[in-house]
Amino acid sequence: MLGHGWRRLVLKVGSALIAPEGKGCSTRYLLTLARFISECRSRGIEVVLVSSGSVAAGRSAIAFSHQPLPIPVKQAMASVGQYQMMQLWQNLLDCHCGQLLLTHDDFHNRRRYLNIENTLRTLLDHQVLPIINENDSVATAELKLGDNDNLAALVATAVDADVLIICSDIDGLYSANPRSNPQAQFIAEVERITPEIFAMAGGSHHNVGTGGMVTKLQAAQKAGQQGIDTLIVNGQKAAVFEALLDGKAAGTLFHRQQERLSAKKHWLLHGLKSQGQIQLDAGAVKALQQQGASLLAKGVSAVSGQFDKGDAVLLCDSSGSPFAKGICQYPASELSRIKGLHSQHIAATLGYCPREEVIHRDDLVLLSAAEAAAQSSS
C-alpha cells in the first residue's frame, strides 16, 4: 500500500486503543502505532493523528460510578485526560507535536474551516505532527461532531490526504458482526459504499467509545468522495502496521471515488449540521434533480424545524424522504409565510425580498441514498 506513493496520511486512533481498560492511558497498543508514525515520517510521508480517548483517559482522576456520565463530569474527565493523552503521545514520538481541539461549530463556520486548513498545513510544513481530538471539555450535544471517525474524514479532506487509516479493534469490515455471527465473511475491498454495505455494520460494543462500524463507513464515504482511500485496520495487531510498511494489504480498503465534490459542496454536505427540513412539490424536486435549478418559494410545500438564514436544511420530496441539502436564505418563520408564492409576491408578504431564491443551486448538493440515510440520522 505504501508503495503506491502516499505522501500524506491521516491516522485515527480510538478510545479502545488509547485506554483499553477505560481507566487511563496505556502504552499497550500505542508503542506500535508510534513506531508506525515515526517510520512513515522517516520515509517522507506526512502524518496527521486524530486521537480519541480524553474522557476514558481522565476517568481515573475523577471518581464517578453512575452511568450514563453527566455532561459536566465527562467534560471534566476530558479536561484531565486530554493533557495525559498529549503527554503520552509526546513521550512516545521523537518529533514536535501540535494539539488542535475542534467542535462541530469549527466546521460549521466557513472562516474557521479555512483557518483549520491553514493551521494544519503550516504544522506539516514545519515537520510538526498535528494531534487532533474533539474538544470534549467544552463541547455540548449541539456542538459535538459525535465521533472521531467522521472528524478524521473531515481532517483528511482539509489536508488533502491520500489515505485515511482508521484503527479499530477488529480486522475490518465483515458481512455481519463477527462477534455474534461465526459465519460472517471478511471483506477485503469495497469499491463503493452502498446501503447494502451500511446494512452489514453493527453498533459499538466498547464501553469507552462513541462510534461503531457505521461511523467508520460514514467516514470512508466522506473521504472517498474527496478522492481519498480509506483503510479500516485492527490497531491491536502489530503485524498490520508491519504489512503496511512493507507495501502489503491489511484490513479493508475502501476505494476512492473518481468523481469528486467541490470543496464547498463537500463542506456543505459533511461540515454543516442540518437545522430543519423543507418539503417540496413534485415540480421543484424534478427541477433540482434533473435541471440543476435553484429552489424558489413557489416549490416549497412545508417547513419544519427552527432554522435561521444561512443555516443548512434538508430538502425532502412529497413523501418526506430527503434528497438534497442546502443553505437556506430565509429563516423558518419567514419561509413558512412565503411558501408556495411566486417570487414577485415575496416583498408584498414580508415587506422586503432579499433573494428570489430560497436556496441557490451553488449552495445545494444532491444526496445519494446512503448519504440521505446518514443525514437523516445525524
PDB file of all heavy atoms in Angstrom, residues 18-57:
ATOM      1  N   ILE A  18      -6.359   3.757  23.065  1.00  0.00           N
ATOM      2  CA  ILE A  18      -5.729   4.712  23.982  1.00  0.00           C
ATOM      3  C   ILE A  18      -5.860   4.238  25.431  1.00  0.00           C
ATOM      4  O   ILE A  18      -4.894   4.260  26.206  1.00  0.00           O
ATOM      5  CB  ILE A  18      -6.377   6.103  23.853  1.00  0.00           C
ATOM      6  CG1 ILE A  18      -6.184   6.660  22.442  1.00  0.00           C
ATOM      7  CG2 ILE A  18      -5.827   7.061  24.904  1.00  0.00           C
ATOM      8  CD1 ILE A  18      -4.784   7.097  22.121  1.00  0.00           C
ATOM      9  N   ALA A  19      -7.057   3.826  25.803  1.00  0.00           N
ATOM     10  CA  ALA A  19      -7.350   3.422  27.186  1.00  0.00           C
ATOM     11  C   ALA A  19      -8.119   2.109  27.157  1.00  0.00           C
ATOM     12  O   ALA A  19      -9.337   2.084  27.366  1.00  0.00           O
ATOM     13  CB  ALA A  19      -8.146   4.509  27.904  1.00  0.00           C
ATOM     14  N   PRO A  20      -7.430   0.997  26.876  1.00  0.00           N
ATOM     15  CA  PRO A  20      -8.131  -0.288  26.702  1.00  0.00           C
ATOM     16  C   PRO A  20      -8.912  -0.749  27.921  1.00  0.00           C
ATOM     17  O   PRO A  20      -9.887  -1.487  27.781  1.00  0.00           O
ATOM     18  CB  PRO A  20      -6.991  -1.264  26.362  1.00  0.00           C
ATOM     19  CG  PRO A  20      -5.740  -0.589  26.800  1.00  0.00           C
ATOM     20  CD  PRO A  20      -5.983   0.877  26.668  1.00  0.00           C
ATOM     21  N   GLU A  21      -8.511  -0.303  29.132  1.00  0.00           N
ATOM     22  CA  GLU A  21      -9.261  -0.656  30.336  1.00  0.00           C
ATOM     23  C   GLU A  21     -10.297   0.403  30.682  1.00  0.00           C
ATOM     24  O   GLU A  21     -11.062   0.237  31.636  1.00  0.00           O
ATOM     25  CB  GLU A  21      -8.299  -0.821  31.518  1.00  0.00           C
ATOM     26  CG  GLU A  21      -7.200  -1.847  31.288  1.00  0.00           C
ATOM     27  CD  GLU A  21      -7.753  -3.235  31.013  1.00  0.00           C
ATOM     28  OE1 GLU A  21      -8.825  -3.565  31.573  1.00  0.00           O
ATOM     29  OE2 GLU A  21      -7.132  -3.984  30.231  1.00  0.00           O
ATOM     30  N   GLY A  22     -10.285   1.512  29.939  1.00  0.00           N
ATOM     31  CA  GLY A  22     -11.247   2.584  30.180  1.00  0.00           C
ATOM     32  C   GLY A  22     -10.975   3.407  31.411  1.00  0.00           C
ATOM     33  O   GLY A  22     -11.835   4.155  31.865  1.00  0.00           O
ATOM     34  N   LYS A  23      -9.766   3.304  31.968  1.00  0.00           N
ATOM     35  CA  LYS A  23      -9.469   3.999  33.230  1.00  0.00           C
ATOM     36  C   LYS A  23      -8.126   4.715  33.187  1.00  0.00           C
ATOM     37  O   LYS A  23      -7.463   4.855  34.192  1.00  0.00           O
ATOM     38  CB  LYS A  23      -9.483   3.000  34.380  1.00  0.00           C
ATOM     39  CG  LYS A  23     -10.824   2.328  34.606  1.00  0.00           C
ATOM     40  CD  LYS A  23     -10.741   1.327  35.742  1.00  0.00           C
ATOM     41  CE  LYS A  23     -12.091   0.636  35.959  1.00  0.00           C
ATOM     42  NZ  LYS A  23     -12.017  -0.370  37.054  1.00  0.00           N
ATOM     43  N   GLY A  24      -7.704   5.177  32.050  1.00  0.00           N
ATOM     44  CA  GLY A  24      -6.429   5.876  31.947  1.00  0.00           C
ATOM     45  C   GLY A  24      -5.654   5.433  30.727  1.00  0.00           C
ATOM     46  O   GLY A  24      -5.932   4.381  30.132  1.00  0.00           O
ATOM     47  N   CYS A  25      -4.682   6.242  30.327  1.00  0.00           N
ATOM     48  CA  CYS A  25      -3.883   5.948  29.138  1.00  0.00           C
ATOM     49  C   CYS A  25      -3.010   4.718  29.344  1.00  0.00           C
ATOM     50  O   CYS A  25      -2.565   4.431  30.456  1.00  0.00           O
ATOM     51  CB  CYS A  25      -2.991   7.147  28.795  1.00  0.00           C
ATOM     52  SG  CYS A  25      -3.890   8.599  28.237  1.00  0.00           S
ATOM     53  N   SER A  26      -2.757   4.012  28.254  1.00  0.00           N
ATOM     54  CA  SER A  26      -1.906   2.825  28.288  1.00  0.00           C
ATOM     55  C   SER A  26      -1.036   2.802  27.041  1.00  0.00           C
ATOM     56  O   SER A  26      -1.452   3.254  25.965  1.00  0.00           O
ATOM     57  CB  SER A  26      -2.762   1.558  28.339  1.00  0.00           C
ATOM     58  OG  SER A  26      -1.967   0.398  28.130  1.00  0.00           O
ATOM     59  N   THR A  27       0.179   2.262  27.175  1.00  0.00           N
ATOM     60  CA  THR A  27       1.073   2.128  26.016  1.00  0.00           C
ATOM     61  C   THR A  27       0.928   0.767  25.331  1.00  0.00           C
ATOM     62  O   THR A  27       1.675   0.465  24.410  1.00  0.00           O
ATOM     63  CB  THR A  27       2.546   2.308  26.452  1.00  0.00           C
ATOM     64  OG1 THR A  27       2.870   1.299  27.423  1.00  0.00           O
ATOM     65  CG2 THR A  27       2.764   3.685  27.051  1.00  0.00           C
ATOM     66  N   ARG A  28      -0.030  -0.055  25.775  1.00  0.00           N
ATOM     67  CA  ARG A  28      -0.141  -1.426  25.273  1.00  0.00           C
ATOM     68  C   ARG A  28      -0.152  -1.483  23.741  1.00  0.00           C
ATOM     69  O   ARG A  28       0.555  -2.283  23.134  1.00  0.00           O
ATOM     70  CB  ARG A  28      -1.408  -2.095  25.819  1.00  0.00           C
ATOM     71  CG  ARG A  28      -1.544  -3.552  25.399  1.00  0.00           C
ATOM     72  CD  ARG A  28      -2.902  -4.123  25.727  1.00  0.00           C
ATOM     73  NE  ARG A  28      -3.250  -3.960  27.129  1.00  0.00           N
ATOM     74  CZ  ARG A  28      -4.429  -4.314  27.639  1.00  0.00           C
ATOM     75  NH1 ARG A  28      -5.375  -4.818  26.846  1.00  0.00           N
ATOM     76  NH2 ARG A  28      -4.681  -4.135  28.917  1.00  0.00           N
ATOM     77  N   TYR A  29      -0.951  -0.636  23.123  1.00  0.00           N
ATOM     78  CA  TYR A  29      -1.048  -0.626  21.663  1.00  0.00           C
ATOM     79  C   TYR A  29      -0.358   0.589  21.033  1.00  0.00           C
ATOM     80  O   TYR A  29      -0.053   0.582  19.843  1.00  0.00           O
ATOM     81  CB  TYR A  29      -2.513  -0.641  21.232  1.00  0.00           C
ATOM     82  CG  TYR A  29      -3.293  -1.808  21.794  1.00  0.00           C
ATOM     83  CD1 TYR A  29      -4.393  -1.597  22.635  1.00  0.00           C
ATOM     84  CD2 TYR A  29      -2.938  -3.120  21.513  1.00  0.00           C
ATOM     85  CE1 TYR A  29      -5.107  -2.658  23.162  1.00  0.00           C
ATOM     86  CE2 TYR A  29      -3.646  -4.195  22.033  1.00  0.00           C
ATOM     87  CZ  TYR A  29      -4.725  -3.953  22.864  1.00  0.00           C
ATOM     88  OH  TYR A  29      -5.434  -5.016  23.387  1.00  0.00           O
ATOM     89  N   LEU A  30      -0.120   1.612  21.836  1.00  0.00           N
ATOM     90  CA  LEU A  30       0.391   2.862  21.276  1.00  0.00           C
ATOM     91  C   LEU A  30       1.857   2.799  20.893  1.00  0.00           C
ATOM     92  O   LEU A  30       2.308   3.555  20.031  1.00  0.00           O
ATOM     93  CB  LEU A  30       0.160   4.010  22.266  1.00  0.00           C
ATOM     94  CG  LEU A  30      -1.296   4.275  22.668  1.00  0.00           C
ATOM     95  CD1 LEU A  30      -1.403   5.618  23.368  1.00  0.00           C
ATOM     96  CD2 LEU A  30      -2.228   4.222  21.466  1.00  0.00           C
ATOM     97  N   LEU A  31       2.633   1.912  21.503  1.00  0.00           N
ATOM     98  CA  LEU A  31       4.039   1.770  21.121  1.00  0.00           C
ATOM     99  C   LEU A  31       4.164   1.377  19.650  1.00  0.00           C
ATOM    100  O   LEU A  31       4.972   1.933  18.908  1.00  0.00           O
ATOM    101  CB  LEU A  31       4.724   0.732  22.016  1.00  0.00           C
ATOM    102  CG  LEU A  31       5.039   1.179  23.451  1.00  0.00           C
ATOM    103  CD1 LEU A  31       5.475  -0.017  24.293  1.00  0.00           C
ATOM    104  CD2 LEU A  31       6.132   2.247  23.441  1.00  0.00           C
ATOM    105  N   THR A  32       3.337   0.429  19.224  1.00  0.00           N
ATOM    106  CA  THR A  32       3.348   0.003  17.819  1.00  0.00           C
ATOM    107  C   THR A  32       2.914   1.132  16.901  1.00  0.00           C
ATOM    108  O   THR A  32       3.518   1.358  15.846  1.00  0.00           O
ATOM    109  CB  THR A  32       2.423  -1.209  17.630  1.00  0.00           C
ATOM    110  OG1 THR A  32       2.915  -2.309  18.399  1.00  0.00           O
ATOM    111  CG2 THR A  32       2.342  -1.602  16.166  1.00  0.00           C
ATOM    112  N   LEU A  33       1.877   1.859  17.310  1.00  0.00           N
ATOM    113  CA  LEU A  33       1.388   2.966  16.484  1.00  0.00           C
ATOM    114  C   LEU A  33       2.433   4.072  16.378  1.00  0.00           C
ATOM    115  O   LEU A  33       2.616   4.668  15.315  1.00  0.00           O
ATOM    116  CB  LEU A  33       0.091   3.516  17.081  1.00  0.00           C
ATOM    117  CG  LEU A  33      -1.125   2.588  16.974  1.00  0.00           C
ATOM    118  CD1 LEU A  33      -2.242   3.070  17.879  1.00  0.00           C
ATOM    119  CD2 LEU A  33      -1.601   2.495  15.541  1.00  0.00           C
ATOM    120  N   ALA A  34       3.122   4.347  17.487  1.00  0.00           N
ATOM    121  CA  ALA A  34       4.159   5.381  17.467  1.00  0.00           C
ATOM    122  C   ALA A  34       5.301   4.985  16.534  1.00  0.00           C
ATOM    123  O   ALA A  34       5.846   5.825  15.807  1.00  0.00           O
ATOM    124  CB  ALA A  34       4.685   5.617  18.881  1.00  0.00           C
ATOM    125  N   ARG A  35       5.665   3.718  16.548  1.00  0.00           N
ATOM    126  CA  ARG A  35       6.721   3.248  15.634  1.00  0.00           C
ATOM    127  C   ARG A  35       6.281   3.401  14.180  1.00  0.00           C
ATOM    128  O   ARG A  35       7.072   3.784  13.310  1.00  0.00           O
ATOM    129  CB  ARG A  35       7.076   1.785  15.934  1.00  0.00           C
ATOM    130  CG  ARG A  35       7.949   1.610  17.158  1.00  0.00           C
ATOM    131  CD  ARG A  35       8.571   0.224  17.184  1.00  0.00           C
ATOM    132  NE  ARG A  35       7.569  -0.816  17.359  1.00  0.00           N
ATOM    133  CZ  ARG A  35       7.190  -1.308  18.530  1.00  0.00           C
ATOM    134  NH1 ARG A  35       7.723  -0.827  19.656  1.00  0.00           N
ATOM    135  NH2 ARG A  35       6.289  -2.263  18.605  1.00  0.00           N
ATOM    136  N   PHE A  36       5.022   3.099  13.913  1.00  0.00           N
ATOM    137  CA  PHE A  36       4.494   3.232  12.553  1.00  0.00           C
ATOM    138  C   PHE A  36       4.534   4.689  12.101  1.00  0.00           C
ATOM    139  O   PHE A  36       4.957   5.005  10.982  1.00  0.00           O
ATOM    140  CB  PHE A  36       3.064   2.692  12.504  1.00  0.00           C
ATOM    141  CG  PHE A  36       2.372   2.887  11.186  1.00  0.00           C
ATOM    142  CD1 PHE A  36       2.741   2.147  10.069  1.00  0.00           C
ATOM    143  CD2 PHE A  36       1.344   3.820  11.052  1.00  0.00           C
ATOM    144  CE1 PHE A  36       2.102   2.323   8.855  1.00  0.00           C
ATOM    145  CE2 PHE A  36       0.709   4.003   9.842  1.00  0.00           C
ATOM    146  CZ  PHE A  36       1.090   3.252   8.734  1.00  0.00           C
ATOM    147  N   ILE A  37       4.099   5.598  12.983  1.00  0.00           N
ATOM    148  CA  ILE A  37       4.113   7.029  12.653  1.00  0.00           C
ATOM    149  C   ILE A  37       5.538   7.494  12.383  1.00  0.00           C
ATOM    150  O   ILE A  37       5.807   8.186  11.389  1.00  0.00           O
ATOM    151  CB  ILE A  37       3.482   7.847  13.800  1.00  0.00           C
ATOM    152  CG1 ILE A  37       1.981   7.553  13.913  1.00  0.00           C
ATOM    153  CG2 ILE A  37       3.706   9.348  13.586  1.00  0.00           C
ATOM    154  CD1 ILE A  37       1.331   8.130  15.148  1.00  0.00           C
ATOM    155  N   SER A  38       6.475   7.098  13.237  1.00  0.00           N
ATOM    156  CA  SER A  38       7.868   7.521  13.078  1.00  0.00           C
ATOM    157  C   SER A  38       8.470   6.992  11.791  1.00  0.00           C
ATOM    158  O   SER A  38       9.204   7.702  11.086  1.00  0.00           O
ATOM    159  CB  SER A  38       8.697   7.063  14.281  1.00  0.00           C
ATOM    160  OG  SER A  38       8.250   7.680  15.471  1.00  0.00           O
ATOM    161  N   GLU A  39       8.166   5.758  11.449  1.00  0.00           N
ATOM    162  CA  GLU A  39       8.715   5.174  10.223  1.00  0.00           C
ATOM    163  C   GLU A  39       8.125   5.851   8.989  1.00  0.00           C
ATOM    164  O   GLU A  39       8.835   6.103   8.016  1.00  0.00           O
ATOM    165  CB  GLU A  39       8.432   3.670  10.195  1.00  0.00           C
ATOM    166  CG  GLU A  39       8.993   2.943   8.990  1.00  0.00           C
ATOM    167  CD  GLU A  39      10.507   3.044   8.859  1.00  0.00           C
ATOM    168  OE1 GLU A  39      11.185   3.206   9.898  1.00  0.00           O
ATOM    169  OE2 GLU A  39      11.014   2.977   7.714  1.00  0.00           O
ATOM    170  N   CYS A  40       6.837   6.154   9.028  1.00  0.00           N
ATOM    171  CA  CYS A  40       6.224   6.873   7.902  1.00  0.00           C
ATOM    172  C   CYS A  40       6.904   8.222   7.705  1.00  0.00           C
ATOM    173  O   CYS A  40       7.261   8.605   6.584  1.00  0.00           O
ATOM    174  CB  CYS A  40       4.734   7.076   8.153  1.00  0.00           C
ATOM    175  SG  CYS A  40       3.713   5.600   7.967  1.00  0.00           S
ATOM    176  N   ARG A  41       7.103   8.946   8.789  1.00  0.00           N
ATOM    177  CA  ARG A  41       7.733  10.257   8.707  1.00  0.00           C
ATOM    178  C   ARG A  41       9.167  10.145   8.194  1.00  0.00           C
ATOM    179  O   ARG A  41       9.620  10.990   7.421  1.00  0.00           O
ATOM    180  CB  ARG A  41       7.697  10.935  10.076  1.00  0.00           C
ATOM    181  CG  ARG A  41       6.305  11.450  10.469  1.00  0.00           C
ATOM    182  CD  ARG A  41       6.254  11.879  11.935  1.00  0.00           C
ATOM    183  NE  ARG A  41       7.266  12.870  12.248  1.00  0.00           N
ATOM    184  CZ  ARG A  41       7.115  14.183  12.111  1.00  0.00           C
ATOM    185  NH1 ARG A  41       5.954  14.669  11.679  1.00  0.00           N
ATOM    186  NH2 ARG A  41       8.076  15.014  12.427  1.00  0.00           N
ATOM    187  N   SER A  42       9.890   9.101   8.602  1.00  0.00           N
ATOM    188  CA  SER A  42      11.266   8.934   8.126  1.00  0.00           C
ATOM    189  C   SER A  42      11.324   8.655   6.629  1.00  0.00           C
ATOM    190  O   SER A  42      12.341   8.912   5.986  1.00  0.00           O
ATOM    191  CB  SER A  42      11.949   7.801   8.890  1.00  0.00           C
ATOM    192  OG  SER A  42      11.439   6.531   8.498  1.00  0.00           O
ATOM    193  N   ARG A  43      10.225   8.164   6.067  1.00  0.00           N
ATOM    194  CA  ARG A  43      10.144   7.889   4.632  1.00  0.00           C
ATOM    195  C   ARG A  43       9.581   9.077   3.858  1.00  0.00           C
ATOM    196  O   ARG A  43       9.311   8.977   2.659  1.00  0.00           O
ATOM    197  CB  ARG A  43       9.288   6.656   4.380  1.00  0.00           C
ATOM    198  CG  ARG A  43       9.821   5.382   5.007  1.00  0.00           C
ATOM    199  CD  ARG A  43       8.988   4.179   4.623  1.00  0.00           C
ATOM    200  NE  ARG A  43       9.433   2.966   5.308  1.00  0.00           N
ATOM    201  CZ  ARG A  43       9.005   1.736   5.008  1.00  0.00           C
ATOM    202  NH1 ARG A  43       8.118   1.569   4.017  1.00  0.00           N
ATOM    203  NH2 ARG A  43       9.440   0.693   5.684  1.00  0.00           N
ATOM    204  N   GLY A  44       9.360  10.191   4.546  1.00  0.00           N
ATOM    205  CA  GLY A  44       8.874  11.391   3.886  1.00  0.00           C
ATOM    206  C   GLY A  44       7.368  11.475   3.764  1.00  0.00           C
ATOM    207  O   GLY A  44       6.849  12.327   3.038  1.00  0.00           O
ATOM    208  N   ILE A  45       6.654  10.609   4.488  1.00  0.00           N
ATOM    209  CA  ILE A  45       5.192  10.628   4.458  1.00  0.00           C
ATOM    210  C   ILE A  45       4.692  11.477   5.615  1.00  0.00           C
ATOM    211  O   ILE A  45       5.010  11.203   6.780  1.00  0.00           O
ATOM    212  CB  ILE A  45       4.612   9.209   4.559  1.00  0.00           C
ATOM    213  CG1 ILE A  45       5.118   8.346   3.405  1.00  0.00           C
ATOM    214  CG2 ILE A  45       3.081   9.244   4.572  1.00  0.00           C
ATOM    215  CD1 ILE A  45       4.831   6.866   3.584  1.00  0.00           C
ATOM    216  N   GLU A  46       3.933  12.509   5.329  1.00  0.00           N
ATOM    217  CA  GLU A  46       3.377  13.365   6.377  1.00  0.00           C
ATOM    218  C   GLU A  46       2.218  12.647   7.062  1.00  0.00           C
ATOM    219  O   GLU A  46       1.402  11.994   6.404  1.00  0.00           O
ATOM    220  CB  GLU A  46       2.910  14.689   5.795  1.00  0.00           C
ATOM    221  CG  GLU A  46       4.040  15.532   5.222  1.00  0.00           C
ATOM    222  CD  GLU A  46       3.555  16.815   4.587  1.00  0.00           C
ATOM    223  OE1 GLU A  46       2.375  16.864   4.154  1.00  0.00           O
ATOM    224  OE2 GLU A  46       4.350  17.764   4.506  1.00  0.00           O
ATOM    225  N   VAL A  47       2.144  12.784   8.385  1.00  0.00           N
ATOM    226  CA  VAL A  47       1.116  12.103   9.176  1.00  0.00           C
ATOM    227  C   VAL A  47       0.354  13.125  10.001  1.00  0.00           C
ATOM    228  O   VAL A  47       0.940  14.023  10.613  1.00  0.00           O
ATOM    229  CB  VAL A  47       1.735  11.044  10.110  1.00  0.00           C
ATOM    230  CG1 VAL A  47       0.650  10.345  10.929  1.00  0.00           C
ATOM    231  CG2 VAL A  47       2.539  10.019   9.316  1.00  0.00           C
ATOM    232  N   VAL A  48      -0.968  12.990  10.012  1.00  0.00           N
ATOM    233  CA  VAL A  48      -1.834  13.737  10.919  1.00  0.00           C
ATOM    234  C   VAL A  48      -2.542  12.698  11.789  1.00  0.00           C
ATOM    235  O   VAL A  48      -3.130  11.747  11.271  1.00  0.00           O
ATOM    236  CB  VAL A  48      -2.869  14.589  10.157  1.00  0.00           C
ATOM    237  CG1 VAL A  48      -3.789  15.307  11.145  1.00  0.00           C
ATOM    238  CG2 VAL A  48      -2.175  15.584   9.252  1.00  0.00           C
ATOM    239  N   LEU A  49      -2.469  12.876  13.097  1.00  0.00           N
ATOM    240  CA  LEU A  49      -3.042  11.917  14.030  1.00  0.00           C
ATOM    241  C   LEU A  49      -4.338  12.462  14.614  1.00  0.00           C
ATOM    242  O   LEU A  49      -4.376  13.575  15.151  1.00  0.00           O
ATOM    243  CB  LEU A  49      -2.042  11.640  15.161  1.00  0.00           C
ATOM    244  CG  LEU A  49      -2.498  10.727  16.306  1.00  0.00           C
ATOM    245  CD1 LEU A  49      -2.856   9.335  15.801  1.00  0.00           C
ATOM    246  CD2 LEU A  49      -1.414  10.647  17.375  1.00  0.00           C
ATOM    247  N   VAL A  50      -5.429  11.695  14.495  1.00  0.00           N
ATOM    248  CA  VAL A  50      -6.699  12.016  15.148  1.00  0.00           C
ATOM    249  C   VAL A  50      -6.865  11.016  16.279  1.00  0.00           C
ATOM    250  O   VAL A  50      -7.011   9.816  16.041  1.00  0.00           O
ATOM    251  CB  VAL A  50      -7.884  11.940  14.173  1.00  0.00           C
ATOM    252  CG1 VAL A  50      -9.196  12.196  14.909  1.00  0.00           C
ATOM    253  CG2 VAL A  50      -7.708  12.950  13.041  1.00  0.00           C
ATOM    254  N   SER A  51      -6.793  11.516  17.506  1.00  0.00           N
ATOM    255  CA  SER A  51      -6.726  10.638  18.674  1.00  0.00           C
ATOM    256  C   SER A  51      -7.918  10.859  19.599  1.00  0.00           C
ATOM    257  O   SER A  51      -8.095  11.941  20.161  1.00  0.00           O
ATOM    258  CB  SER A  51      -5.417  10.894  19.431  1.00  0.00           C
ATOM    259  OG  SER A  51      -5.340  10.089  20.593  1.00  0.00           O
ATOM    260  N   SER A  52      -8.731   9.833  19.756  1.00  0.00           N
ATOM    261  CA  SER A  52      -9.802   9.852  20.744  1.00  0.00           C
ATOM    262  C   SER A  52      -9.216   9.546  22.120  1.00  0.00           C
ATOM    263  O   SER A  52      -8.006   9.379  22.264  1.00  0.00           O
ATOM    264  CB  SER A  52     -10.862   8.810  20.387  1.00  0.00           C
ATOM    265  OG  SER A  52     -11.380   9.014  19.104  1.00  0.00           O
ATOM    266  N   GLY A  53     -10.077   9.450  23.117  1.00  0.00           N
ATOM    267  CA  GLY A  53      -9.662   8.887  24.386  1.00  0.00           C
ATOM    268  C   GLY A  53      -9.526   9.823  25.552  1.00  0.00           C
ATOM    269  O   GLY A  53      -9.146   9.396  26.642  1.00  0.00           O
ATOM    270  N   SER A  54      -9.832  11.110  25.393  1.00  0.00           N
ATOM    271  CA  SER A  54      -9.620  12.026  26.514  1.00  0.00           C
ATOM    272  C   SER A  54     -10.525  11.706  27.699  1.00  0.00           C
ATOM    273  O   SER A  54     -10.094  11.772  28.855  1.00  0.00           O
ATOM    274  CB  SER A  54      -9.814  13.479  26.058  1.00  0.00           C
ATOM    275  OG  SER A  54     -11.124  13.688  25.579  1.00  0.00           O
ATOM    276  N   VAL A  55     -11.789  11.365  27.426  1.00  0.00           N
ATOM    277  CA  VAL A  55     -12.712  11.042  28.523  1.00  0.00           C
ATOM    278  C   VAL A  55     -12.267   9.756  29.215  1.00  0.00           C
ATOM    279  O   VAL A  55     -12.183   9.688  30.455  1.00  0.00           O
ATOM    280  CB  VAL A  55     -14.154  10.910  28.010  1.00  0.00           C
ATOM    281  CG1 VAL A  55     -15.083  10.441  29.133  1.00  0.00           C
ATOM    282  CG2 VAL A  55     -14.647  12.243  27.454  1.00  0.00           C
ATOM    283  N   ALA A  56     -11.959   8.721  28.431  1.00  0.00           N
ATOM    284  CA  ALA A  56     -11.517   7.452  29.005  1.00  0.00           C
ATOM    285  C   ALA A  56     -10.217   7.622  29.775  1.00  0.00           C
ATOM    286  O   ALA A  56     -10.028   7.033  30.845  1.00  0.00           O
ATOM    287  CB  ALA A  56     -11.343   6.416  27.896  1.00  0.00           C
ATOM    288  N   ALA A  57      -9.311   8.445  29.249  1.00  0.00           N
ATOM    289  CA  ALA A  57      -8.023   8.655  29.909  1.00  0.00           C
ATOM    290  C   ALA A  57      -8.174   9.385  31.233  1.00  0.00           C
ATOM    291  O   ALA A  57      -7.376   9.180  32.157  1.00  0.00           O
ATOM    292  CB  ALA A  57      -7.093   9.448  28.990  1.00  0.00           C
TER     293      ALA A  57
END
